[in-house]
């Protein structure tokens, strides 16, 4: 579920939905930790395949380095990396998990909004691949339609109390992005971002992309991607496809490396920097397999 959710929703939404299921399970702390770790890696892996799933994927796409069709090639490496991690984390876990089923009625208004959202995502992909329609046009049309219909259907239920909206904000997520802005500013001032792009002068692009993905676990992937695009590294579509995977998934190696990790740490009490770090070897292996598979796929299908 986490990876498929990451394909059609952003990482934050997919993480919150998946963690809601995990926190409801009556399992031991170690098992809950493993489930949360898999969620973080899975939503970040699923997000790299679509421009709607990850910010860095969108940045690289808007820069003209990859196309929507080529991004879909990342589904295989992403799925395989998640599968490898799931197998590693499932070792010595041999009991069943049972769910208490509860049937809840879904309001027809929610069904309509969800349908519009899903149609917008699918239409964005199909229209761009088949007719080269800019994704922003389809998104704006779908978003406008959704807002208009939601306004007409929910106008009698609007809540005028602004404080209620403030209370619903995920403050942990806001603090995470505040920290990102501060870190980015510091790194820019000391010139670290420019030095990281110098890796491509001393090692092959494939290896530099791999190292860059690992570094995104400590440095936010958005400024890393921005610095890489600004440096105008000479890479073909296959190389940029590998960059998309490495910067999108590499942040999963540490719990502080992605918004999904920060959210998981705030929702799962067993999850912290140390406990998540105990899974580092598994995460590194899954990331490595997924990355080199993305290099292979891009080399076979995108290289002339």
């Amino acid at each position: 579920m986490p990876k498929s959710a990451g394909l059609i929703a952003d990482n934050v939404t997919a993480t919150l939905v998946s963690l809601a299921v995990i926190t409801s399970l009556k399992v031991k702390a170690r098992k809950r930790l493993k489930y949360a770790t898999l969620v973080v890696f899975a939503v970040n892996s699923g997000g790299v395949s679509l421009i709607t799933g990850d910010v860095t994927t969108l940045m690289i796409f808007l820069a003209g380095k990859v196309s929507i069709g080529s991004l879909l090639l990342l589904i295989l490496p992403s799925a395989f990396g998640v599968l490898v991690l799931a197998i590693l984390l499932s070792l010595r876990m041999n009991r069943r998990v049972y769910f208490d089923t509860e049937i809840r009625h879904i309001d027809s208004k929610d069904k309509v909004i969800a349908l519009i959202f899903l149609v917008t995502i699918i239409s964005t992909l199909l229209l761009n691949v088949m007719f080269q329609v800019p994704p922003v046009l389809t998104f704006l049309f779908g978003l406008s339609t959704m807002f208009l219909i939601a306004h007409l259907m929910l106008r009698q239920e609007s809540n005028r109390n602004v404080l209620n909206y403030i209370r619903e904000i995920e403050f942990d997520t806001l603090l995470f992005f505040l920290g990102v802005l501060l870190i980015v500013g510091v790194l820019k001032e000391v010139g670290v971002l420019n030095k990281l792009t110098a890796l491509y002068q001393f090692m092959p692009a494939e290896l530099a992309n791999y190292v860059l993905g690992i570094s995104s676990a400590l440095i936010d992937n958005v400024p890393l991607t921005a610095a890489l695009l600004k440096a105008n590294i000479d890479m073909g579509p296959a190389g940029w496809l590998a960059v998309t995977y490495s910067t999108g998934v590499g942040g999963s190696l540490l719990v502080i490396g992605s918004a999904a990790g920060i959210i998981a740490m705030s929702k799962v009490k067993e999850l912290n920097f140390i406990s998540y770090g105990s899974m580092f070897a598994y995460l590194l292996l899954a990331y490595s397999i997924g990355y080199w598979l993305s290099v292979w796929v891009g080399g076979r299908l995108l290289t002339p």
Side-chain angles (χ1 to χ4, degrees), residues 19 22 27-40 89 93 255 264 268-279:
L19 290 178
I22 291 176
V27 295
K28 293 182 179 180
R30 185 64 178 177
K31 289 185 178 181
R32 191 177 293 108
L33 171 63
K34 289 185 176 182
Y35 292 148
T37 301
L38 182 60
V39 165
V40 173
L89 294 178
M93 292 177 61
V255 73
V268 181
K269 62 181 181 180
E270 295 86 5
L271 188 64
N272 53 53
F273 188 85
I274 302 300
S275 62
Y276 191 88
S278 65
M279 308 288 179

Side-chain angles (χ1 to χ4, degrees), residues 58-67 229 237 240:
L58 180 60
M59 292 172 63
I60 296 173
F61 169 78
L62 292 177
K65 304 298 183 181
V66 293
S67 64
L229 291 172
W240 285 106

